[in-house]
């Protein structure tokens, strides 16, 4: 049985794998909020999606 010297690292990598999906979900929520005239919440979701996408683009040029 192989044990990791840093078990938190594998959890972090697993979480990173979901970031594109998370950004897409934030964007979808932003569209929903915008369509229902909830503009402040929409803006927060757009900004969250954009932040993730910027970080991913910088890490993977």
């Amino acid at each position: 049985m192989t044990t990791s010297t840093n078990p938190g690292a594998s959890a972090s990598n697993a979480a990173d794998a979901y970031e594109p999906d998370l950004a897409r979900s934030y964007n979808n929520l932003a569209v929903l909020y915008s369509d229902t005239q909830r503009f402040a919440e929409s803006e927060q979701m757009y900004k969250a999606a954009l932040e993730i996408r910027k970080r991913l683009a910088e890490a993977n040029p």
Side-chain angles (χ1 to χ4, degrees), residues 26-52:
Y26 281 146
N27 191 75
N28 290 343
L29 278 171
V31 170
L32 174 69
Y33 288 150
S34 179
D35 288 348
T36 57
Q37 310 294 306
R38 295 166 64 179
F39 299 116
E41 293 161 299
S42 177
E43 182 179 10
Q44 289 175 334
M45 294 297 106
Y46 277 130
K47 286 181 178 181
L50 184 60
E51 180 181 316
I52 292 170

